[in-house]
Amino acid sequence: MEYRTLGSTGTIVSAQCLGAMTFGNESDEATAHEQLDRFVERGGNFVDTADVYTRGRSEEIVGHWLAARPDRRDQIVVATKGRFPMGDGPNDAGLSRTHLGRALDASLRRLGVDVIDLYQAHAWDPLTPIEETLGFFADAVRAGKIRYAGVSNFVGWQLQKAALLADDAAPIVTLQPQYNLLVRDIELEIVDVCRNEGIGILPWSPLAGGWLTGKYARDEVPSGASRLGENPDRGMEAYGPRNAQERTWRVIDAVGSIAEGRGVSMSQVALAWVADRPAVTSVILGARTIAQLDDNLGAADLHLSPEETALLNEASAPQVSDYPYGPPGIDQRAREL
């Protein structure tokens, strides 16, 4: 397992992060604890959850695991998130001091910890001034309830605004976006914000809901336990309009070709690609079973050659209009001596 700094901080985390979204849902408590044990045995030290995952059950399962292994707490970097509804009241959601104050205290109780290493705004809240949220983060750091603050699912202008307005006590150190070979749109602006501001990227859905594992065939509607299978009517449209589907198969074919040549799984190739992208700190794994986790962990020390990376980059290049993100728009912003 490789290790990297958490954004621009001095805290060290594994380059793979165990995501706990399946805990209490697809993975029962015994399976989740087995996954946590396996992850740590393989060198992982970074675990990410959220209060909304299985309505708090995911946090409870992680908390029970930590309580049964008290020697592990100081070795594990625990991340969680707040923002989405945890009740039916008008203040049971959002990024206000009212909601986040209650949500943070509830997460601390469920996790059974005194401090959360990384507390993240799960998404932008248009009803709450970002200054209020950032002030809450700073106060929570000073109170010893959280160590670092991060955000998830922010777009470029939201992330830049948060980074510029954040208190020195709680700068924004990480961003959790969807990022994989089929979804590269964050490269148009968001990656540059992260690089300029020292914000570490924590990609979620690095396997694109299972598409990059090779489990789907052409013209096949997804079914079963996957994010796409939960909404099979959408099929491939989950990754773009019909005219973008040929790109999807180009990417899958390229991943499959490299995997065959390397003698590794397609999942490992896709995970290795995203792990080595600029500004990426740690890739969030979302395994449902030990077998899936073992396969994903096989990518921990895998690095693609420049030729392999170039092949994947070309096959997966985002489809954009000429302006402002295509070559003519880029040329207008360019300047050389």
Side-chain angles (χ1 to χ4, degrees):
M1 181 70 71
E2 296 182 357
Y3 299 91
R4 302 172 181 177
T5 58
L6 184 66
S8 59
T9 78
T11 293
I12 308 299
V13 295
S14 49
Q16 290 186 326
C17 173
L18 183 58
M21 190 178 73
T22 63
F23 292 4
N25 188 5
E26 292 97 336
S27 302
D28 61 20
E29 183 157 342
T31 301
H33 285 188
E34 188 178 1
Q35 288 186 31
L36 285 160
D37 286 336
R38 183 65 58 83
F39 182 64
V40 172
E41 288 169 5
R42 296 287 294 274
N45 76 333
F46 190 19
V47 176
D48 176 75
T49 184
D51 59 359
V52 75
Y53 294 165
T54 325
R55 198 75 166 191
R57 181 67 180 136
S58 174
E59 289 182 326
E60 289 177 348
I61 289 173
V62 173
H64 294 165
W65 180 81
L66 289 170
R69 299 156 181 81
D71 59 317
R72 296 288 194 193
R73 176 60 189 103
D74 290 341
Q75 305 302 317
I76 301 298
V77 176
V78 177
T80 193
K81 301 178 284 291
R83 191 279 194 195
F84 291 114
M86 290 296 288
D88 298 325
N91 288 308
D92 288 338
L95 298 182
S96 68
R97 283 182 175 272
T98 300
H99 175 64
L100 287 183
R102 297 168 182 166
L104 175 56
D105 286 343
S107 289
L108 287 165
R109 287 194 300 270
R110 285 189 290 264
L111 289 164
V113 298
D114 297 324
V115 58
I116 289 168
D117 300 301
L118 176 64
Y119 193 62
Q120 304 152 100
H122 209 154
W124 181 264
D125 177 9
L127 300 183
T128 302
I130 190 62
E131 294 88 345
E132 179 176 342
T133 304
L134 297 172
F136 171 81
F137 285 161
D139 289 345
V141 169
R142 294 187 183 101
K145 292 185 176 183
I146 70 174
R147 291 195 170 98
Y148 299 113
V151 299
S152 179
N153 302 312
F154 278 31
V155 296
W157 72 266
Q158 296 165 351
L159 181 63
Q160 184 65 76
K161 184 174 183 177
L164 291 175
L165 294 177
D167 190 296
D168 288 343
I172 301 303
V173 303
T174 57
L175 167 73
Q176 269 197 47
Q178 181 176 195
Y179 190 25
N180 56 59
L181 277 162
L182 295 181
V183 181
R184 294 179 56 187
D185 301 74
I186 70 167
E187 295 175 9
L188 302 179
E189 287 198 31
I190 295 174
V191 170
D192 284 338
V193 176
C194 291
R195 298 180 75 178
N196 289 336
E197 301 295 340
I199 295 171
I201 297 174
L202 309 175
W204 60 263
S205 194
L207 297 178
W211 281 102
L212 297 173
T213 68
K215 66 187 293 185
Y216 300 120
R218 292 178 186 268
D219 302 319
E220 178 182 282
V221 175
S223 62
S226 74
R227 290 193 181 190
L228 296 186
E230 293 164 1
N231 190 4
D233 290 338
R234 294 187 66 196
M236 289 185 63
E237 292 179 0
Y239 285 95
R242 290 292 177 182
N243 62 6
Q245 292 181 13
E246 188 53 41
R247 169 181 176 268
T248 296
W249 291 115
R250 269 201 319 272
V251 173
I252 291 172
D253 290 344
V255 172
S257 174
I258 293 171
E260 183 177 0
R262 283 272 192 157
V264 299
S265 70
M266 290 178 61
S267 298
Q268 291 170 6
V269 170
L271 291 170
W273 177 86
V274 75
D276 282 341
R277 300 303 292 167
V280 169
T281 286
S282 186
V283 179
I284 300 174
L285 308 179
R288 293 176 173 82
T289 66
I290 287 294
Q292 288 179 346
L293 179 60
D294 282 339
D295 182 60
N296 290 347
L297 289 172
D301 301 312
L302 177 63
H303 295 281
L304 304 179
S305 69
E307 294 76 17
E308 291 167 333
T309 300
L311 175 64
L312 293 175
N313 288 348
E314 181 179 359
S316 65
Q319 297 179 335
V320 297
S321 301
D322 284 344
Y323 185 87
Y325 300 118
I330 292 173
D331 287 344
Q332 288 183 342
R333 298 188 294 274
R335 184 186 182 200
E336 297 180 0
L337 290 176

